Amino acid sequence: MRTRKSALSFIAALLILAIVAVGCTPKEETGNNGATNGATNGATNGGASESKVFRMNIHSEPSTLDPALMEDNVSGTLATGIYEGLTRKNENGESIPATAESWVKSEDGKTYTFKIRKDAKWSNGDPVTANDYEFSWKRALDPAVGSTYAYQFYYIVGAQDYNEGKTTNTDAVGIKALDAQTLEVKLVSPTPYFLSLTSFYVYNPVHPSVKDNEAWAADAKTIIGNGPFKMSEWQHNTSIKLVPNENYYDKAQVKFAGVDFTMIAESATELANYETGKLDYTGKPTGEIPAEQIPVLKESKKDEIVTKGIASSYYYQFNTEEVPFNNVKVRKALAMAIDRQAIVESVTMAGEVPSFGFVPPGIIGLKEDYRNEVKDDFFTENVDEAKTLLAEGLAELKLAKFPKVTLTFNTSDGHKKIAEAIVEMWRQNLGIEVGIENQEFAVLLKNRTAMNYQIARAGWGADYNDPMTYLDMFVTGGGQNNTGFASPEYDALIKKANASGDQAERIAAMTEAEKILMEYMPIMPIYYYSNVYMLKPGFKNIFLDYKGDIDYTRGFYEAK
C-alpha cells in the first residue's frame, strides 16, 4: 500500500477546493472556428445512411505532416486519414491488411515479405509500389532528415548503422523492393510486435516527389497521400479539411463527404461549438472537455459522453543536465511530494489512474496485462521523506536554497490546471517556488528536443502493444530521450529484451529496466490516461483504439 502523510492529504484537499471554486461554465462563444465545407450536417429523415462531413477539433496546428518527422497525436490523427501503412489497426488493436494485401513471415521470424495491392494508388493516381516503401523507410532513416522516430526501424538489419552514420550504403539496410508489388524486410532478431509497427505513422510511405520539394508537407497542394482521404484545404492555425480520396483502393467503405478539423485551444470554446452543433465530436485525443464540466455532462449528456481507459501515460520530465535536476534526490523529492489521487479526483476528473511507474495498463505482458503482472509500486508519496531527500540533494549540490525554475506545458486549460495544482503542492509541502509557462505545442516539442527546458509536461501513448514502446525511449542518446538520462545497465537490459525471442526473458529484462528508470527518476509519473469524449447521435464506426488514437476513416452517419 502506498503511504500518504496526513499533511499532504490535508493540503491537497484545501488546494482542490480552491481550484473547484474558480471553475466556470463554458461561455457561449461563437465565430468561424466551427465552419464547415458546405456539406449538409442538419437533421435527416429517418433511418437512412447519409453522406455527411465529420467535424472535430485538433487543439493546435500539426507540428508536421511528414510521416518521418511526426511525433504528436495531432499530426498522427491527420495522418490516419491522409496516409496508410502496410497494415492498419482495427478497434481491438489487431493488425489487419491495408496497403499490403498479405504477408509471409519466415520460420525463424526474421524475414517478412509483403505483397502490395495492385490497385493501391496515390491521391494523384500514381501506383503505390514496394519501391515507395523502400524509399520512404530509408528516407526516415537518413540522418540528414532528422527523424526522432528513426530508432523504430532499428529492428531492421543495418538500419541503426545507417541512421547513426556508420555506413552510407543503403543497400546494407534490410529493406528491399523485390518487384513493384513485393517488399522484403529482414530483421536483426525475431520481433513479436514488428507487424504492429507497420501501421505506425513513421512507417507510412511518402510520394517520391517529396525529394524535389523540401516544403512539400506544409501545403495542401503538395501533400500527396495514399490514405482514404486527401487534404483539400489548410488554413494554417485555423482549420484543415479532408475529402475522400477517389483513388483509394477501398473507397467504397469511405462514407463521409469529408472531415473538417478546427484548431481551438480553449476547452470551453470547443465544448460550446459542440453544444451549438458546430462540432460532431469533442474531447480526447486531440481536443478537451473542461474538467469541471465532466460530472455535469455525465448526467445531462449520458448518451453522448464516453470514458475510456487507454494505454497512455501523463508525466513531467526533468532536464537532468541542469541544476538542480542533475541530482536524483531532488527529482525523487518532487515526485514524492504530490497527491496524485487528489489530482485525478478533483482536477482532471476523467477517471484517470494515479501512476507510480511508466508503462500503463492495457499493454500485453507475459500472459496478461503487463501492469497486472508487474505492480507499479516503485515509489510512494511521502512528504516527510521528500523533505529529507530535497535537503540532502541541495546540500550535495552545495545550494543554500532551491533555485528559480520553470515548469513548461503546452497550451491547454487542463495542462494549466494540473500545473497550478502541482506547483502549489510543491510550495505547501516542500516550501519551494516553481514558475509555470505555457508554450504552443510545436514550440514545446522543439524545446524538449533541444533540451531547452527545466521541467516539462509530457505524455506518451503506445506505438505498438508491447512494454518496449515505452521503455526503449530512454536508452542513452535515444531520439525521444530528451531528459539527459543515461545508464549503461538500462541500455543493456533494453538490448537484451530486443535481441530475445523468449517473451519471459524479454518481460524480465523490461521489468528490471523500468525499475532502473524509476530509481533514477528522469521522469515523474502522474497518471495513466483515460480519454473522455462526446460524439453526436447518429455517427457510427468512429472509435478510439487501445492506445487512444481515433479512427474515423470508416465512419458513417445513420439517421434514426
Side-chain angles (χ1 to χ4, degrees):
M1 179 171 289
R2 303 185 181 101
T3 303
R4 291 188 178 88
K5 295 295 182 180
S6 58
L8 185 147
S9 299
F10 176 72
I11 291 167
L14 292 177
L15 168 68
I16 301 308
L17 285 172
I19 292 173
V20 172
V22 299
C24 60
T25 301
K27 297 177 182 178
E28 292 297 324
E29 297 180 10
T30 59
N32 61 6
N33 284 332
T36 70
N37 65 8
T40 177
N41 271 58
T44 64
N45 295 323
S49 178
E50 179 189 354
S51 181
K52 291 172 71 74
V53 171
F54 176 61
R55 303 162 303 173
M56 65 177 289
N57 186 45
I58 50 176
H59 57 74
S60 65
E61 182 86 349
S63 60
T64 179
L65 288 179
D66 181 344
L69 300 177
M70 291 177 181
E71 53 180 328
D72 63 280
N73 61 8
V74 168
S75 302
T77 296
L78 290 161
T80 297
I82 299 169
Y83 303 104
E84 184 174 85
L86 295 171
T87 64
R88 63 185 185 90
K89 292 288 195 301
N90 64 15
E91 191 166 0
N92 298 319
E94 299 163 335
S95 297
I96 59 177
T99 305
E101 63 183 5
S102 63
W103 51 85
V104 175
K105 182 173 69 171
S106 63
E107 287 189 11
D108 65 1
K110 295 167 66 173
T111 302
Y112 282 79
T113 306
F114 296 91
K115 281 294 181 183
I116 309 298
R117 297 177 188 274
K118 290 184 178 180
D119 57 349
K121 294 182 179 180
W122 293 99
S123 55
N124 70 346
D126 292 343
V128 177
T129 69
N131 302 82
D132 294 334
Y133 277 91
E134 179 178 355
F135 162 72
S136 301
W137 293 7
K138 289 180 177 178
R139 173 181 176 271
L141 281 166
D142 186 342
V145 170
S147 172
T148 58
Y149 264 125
Y151 71 93
Q152 293 288 23
F153 291 98
Y154 286 4
Y155 308 100
I156 298 172
V157 169
Q160 184 169 2
D161 284 349
Y162 175 56
N163 181 246
E164 293 179 348
K166 296 176 182 176
T167 180
T168 57
N169 180 16
T170 59
D171 291 337
V173 180
I175 307 165
K176 186 175 182 181
L178 302 182
D179 57 48
Q181 262 69 53
T182 311
L183 181 71
E184 180 185 79
V185 185
K186 292 187 176 294
L187 306 182
V188 177
S189 305
T191 306
Y193 46 86
F194 179 73
L195 198 62
S196 180
L197 274 169
T198 62
S199 64
F200 181 47
Y201 47 69
V202 77
Y203 276 75
N204 284 340
V206 293
H207 190 270
S209 63
V210 307
K211 61 180 178 290
D212 301 318
N213 179 8
E214 290 186 359
W216 68 272
D219 190 330
K221 295 183 180 67
T222 52
I223 294 175
I224 301 172
N226 70 322
F229 293 91
K230 62 182 181 180
M231 189 180 295
S232 62
E233 181 182 312
W234 186 353
Q235 295 186 29
H236 288 279
N237 298 301
T238 301
S239 65
I240 288 176
K241 298 180 186 297
L242 307 184
V243 295
N245 173 9
E246 67 274 16
N247 292 308
Y248 184 56
Y249 67 88
D250 200 21
K251 62 183 179 182
Q253 299 303 315
V254 179
K255 306 298 186 182
F256 286 139
V259 183
D260 284 3
F261 297 95
T262 59
M263 300 178 197
I264 304 170
E266 299 79 16
S267 59
T269 306
E270 178 182 338
L271 180 59
N273 273 262
Y274 177 84
E275 291 183 326
T276 56
K278 294 178 180 178
L279 291 176
D280 305 308
Y281 182 102
T282 180
K284 303 294 184 180
T286 58
E288 185 175 20
I289 297 173
E292 65 273 10
Q293 293 298 315
I294 292 174
V296 177
L297 292 167
K298 284 183 176 180
E299 292 297 323
S300 63
K301 300 281 187 180
K302 61 180 62 177
D303 294 333
E304 298 176 34
I305 193 165
V306 178
T307 301
K308 179 181 174 67
I310 60 170
S312 293
S313 290
Y314 188 104
Y315 59 99
Y316 286 169
Q317 60 185 54
F318 301 109
N319 183 341
T320 65
E321 295 180 358
E322 279 211 12
V323 176
F325 306 114
N326 57 341
N327 184 282
V328 65
K329 291 181 179 178
V330 172
R331 301 194 297 268
K332 284 184 175 180
L334 269 62
M336 296 173 68
I338 67 171
D339 188 332
R340 291 160 177 80
Q341 191 65 38
I343 291 168
V344 301
E345 285 184 354
S346 302
V347 180
T348 60
M349 297 186 286
E352 299 90 350
V353 177
S355 60
F356 295 81
F358 188 48
V359 180
I363 296 299
I364 296 171
L366 181 58
K367 294 181 180 179
E368 55 177 303
D369 193 295
Y370 172 84
R371 199 73 284 165
N372 289 338
E373 294 175 341
V374 182
K375 301 301 180 185
D376 68 338
D377 54 1
F378 301 110
F379 67 100
T380 60
E381 296 168 346
N382 187 313
V383 172
D384 291 340
E385 187 175 348
K387 288 178 178 177
T388 299
L389 285 171
L390 181 63
E392 291 175 354
L394 293 177
E396 290 172 4
L397 293 169
K398 296 181 171 54
L399 294 175
K401 62 179 182 178
F402 193 81
K404 182 179 180 180
V405 300
T406 301
L407 161 63
T408 55
F409 55 90
N410 52 296
T411 304
S412 156
D413 297 337
H415 298 327
K416 181 181 179 181
K417 289 178 180 179
I418 293 168
E420 289 172 341
I422 287 176
V423 299
E424 178 63 15
M425 290 176 182
W426 284 337
R427 187 184 72 81
Q428 293 279 0
N429 297 331
L430 297 176
I432 63 175
E433 299 292 336
V434 176
I436 62 173
E437 177 187 0
N438 75 289
Q439 299 175 348
E440 290 303 312
F441 192 44
V443 174
L444 179 63
L445 285 176
K446 289 179 181 178
N447 282 332
R448 286 198 328 224
T449 300
M451 292 194 65
N452 181 27
Y453 73 94
Q454 293 168 308
I455 312 172
R457 176 262 161 190
W460 194 259
D463 299 331
Y464 49 89
N465 199 340
D466 189 271
M468 187 59 75
T469 189
Y470 298 89
L471 299 173
D472 65 1
M473 288 174 61
F474 296 101
V475 296
T476 302
Q480 296 290 340
N481 181 7
N482 38 45
T483 66
F485 169 69
S487 164
E489 184 182 1
Y490 186 91
D491 296 347
L493 287 165
I494 297 301
K495 184 176 181 180
K496 179 180 180 180
N498 276 333
S500 176
D502 184 318
Q503 186 68 351
E505 183 177 43
R506 293 185 67 253
I507 294 297
M510 290 187 286
T511 298
E512 290 304 310
E514 189 178 19
K515 288 179 181 177
I516 291 172
L517 185 68
M518 292 296 96
E519 178 183 347
Y520 284 92
M521 201 72 72
I523 61 172
M524 183 183 96
I526 300 173
Y527 61 75
Y528 301 126
Y529 272 98
S530 177
N531 277 4
V532 176
Y533 65 90
M534 296 174 69
L535 179 66
K536 292 290 187 181
F539 285 92
K540 312 289 185 182
N541 209 33
I542 297 167
F543 64 87
L544 268 59
D545 66 14
Y546 75 99
K547 53 188 169 50
D549 293 339
I550 186 171
D551 191 321
Y552 48 84
T553 62
R554 268 70 176 174
F556 61 92
Y557 181 83
E558 189 173 81
K560 292 183 178 180

